[in-house]
Amino acid sequence: QLQLQESGPGLVKPSETLSLICTVSGGSISSSSYYWGWIRQPPGKGLEWIGSIYYSGSTFYNPSLKSRVTISVDTSKNQFSLKLSSVTAADTAVYYCARDNYYDNCGSDYWGQGTLVTVSS
Amino acid sequence: SYELTQPLSVSVALGQTARITCGGNNIGRKNVHWYQQKPGQAPVLVIYRDSNRPSGIPERFSGSNSGNTATLTISRAQAGDESDYYCQVWDSSTAVFGGGTKLTVL
């Protein structure tokens, strides 16, 4: 059974860089059909897609966040990561990682449990 | 940028049929996915590519997509179906989520 697990600091100071890692277990991040994505959800609000990465390193980013986001992949560790720079209180959210069956257009079928990141001094 | 519009809330009587809409320009030309999210939990995929159910999702969940509106239909609504529901599409290499609909089962 595929599992995804987010990890990283739960508290980040304003203007600093938020860094999260998603560890994939029970399957390979190098599978050919899938992109691996980050989605966030501010408290009490809806889902916002941040970006996605293929195992080769090809990325898609949300245009509204693109200038601050970097997503990378480490196939040797079966992990992918998110960096969001110059954070403000508006970046406080639960951050999810997910597998997107992009090439078969079958949606995001596996999600991590999510991790709350609070931006505060 | 592409936008998806969902009603903020939908109510349905226990055992009746709920329909949640997702509006977008020519959305019928896109593949629509639907997610269910319960409080404090990660979203769960309930419909993919307009009308397909992942393994383990009850047949009571169905979907359709035509023109400018995609619809998630939940038949014989149960108390456990009370959740937030989100539609999602890909547009020009960008994933877009609808704003979400809170389903209340009365």
Side-chain angles (χ1 to χ4, degrees):
Chain A
Q1 177 77 344
L2 192 76
Q3 292 186 321
L4 290 80
Q5 178 68 58
E6 306 90 351
S7 59
L11 181 64
V12 181
K13 290 182 168 56
S15 80
E16 296 189 344
T17 295
L18 179 159
S19 296
L20 295 174
I21 291 173
C22 182
T23 301
V24 179
S25 58
S28 173
I29 203 169
S30 300
S31 300
S32 59
S33 294
Y34 308 112
Y35 267 74
W36 303 87
W38 289 98
I39 301 97
R40 70 180 183 177
Q41 185 171 37
K45 296 188 177 181
L47 301 172
E48 180 181 31
W49 174 74
I50 300 170
S52 301
I53 190 165
Y54 194 58
Y55 76 92
S56 64
S58 173
T59 53
F60 299 141
Y61 292 134
N62 185 325
S64 68
L65 298 170
K66 187 174 183 177
S67 64
R68 298 194 292 130
V69 173
T70 302
I71 297 176
S72 58
V73 64
D74 187 336
T75 56
S76 67
K77 295 182 179 179
N78 232 29
Q79 295 176 335
F80 61 107
S81 64
L82 168 70
K83 291 188 184 300
L84 180 66
S85 64
S86 305
V87 298
T88 69
D91 295 309
T92 293
V94 174
Y95 286 76
Y96 295 100
C97 60
R99 184 182 84 168
D100 191 300
N101 199 333
Y102 176 80
Y103 285 109
D104 293 331
N105 239 307
C106 293
S108 294
D109 53 359
Y110 287 92
W111 294 66
Q113 65 186 24
T115 187
L116 174 62
V117 179
T118 301
V119 178
S120 175
S121 55
Chain B
S1 62
Y2 196 79
E3 294 185 357
L4 296 174
T5 301
Q6 297 183 237
L8 284 176
S9 62
V10 168
S11 297
V12 62
L14 188 67
Q16 297 304 303
T17 298
R19 294 179 179 84
I20 298 172
T21 59
C22 176
N25 187 38
N26 288 320
I27 195 174
R29 298 181 182 179
K30 300 183 182 297
N31 292 293
V32 180
H33 313 306
W34 289 93
Y35 301 89
Q36 175 192 63
Q37 186 182 33
K38 299 187 177 183
Q41 298 184 19
V44 172
L45 180 69
V46 293
I47 292 289
Y48 65 92
R49 218 186 302 131
D50 297 342
S51 59
N52 296 275
R53 279 178 293 103
S55 174
I57 301 301
E59 291 183 7
R60 301 184 297 104
F61 288 80
S62 62
S64 63
N65 185 19
S66 179
N68 293 317
T69 304
T71 303
L72 172 68
T73 301
I74 305 171
S75 304
R76 302 182 300 282
Q78 301 178 358
D81 299 332
E82 196 162 277
S83 302
D84 293 326
Y85 291 86
Y86 296 89
C87 56
Q88 181 249 313
V89 301
W90 279 91
D91 177 74
S92 301
S93 301
T94 299
V96 180
F97 285 96
T101 298
K102 180 176 181 59
L103 177 68
T104 300
V105 180
L106 304 172

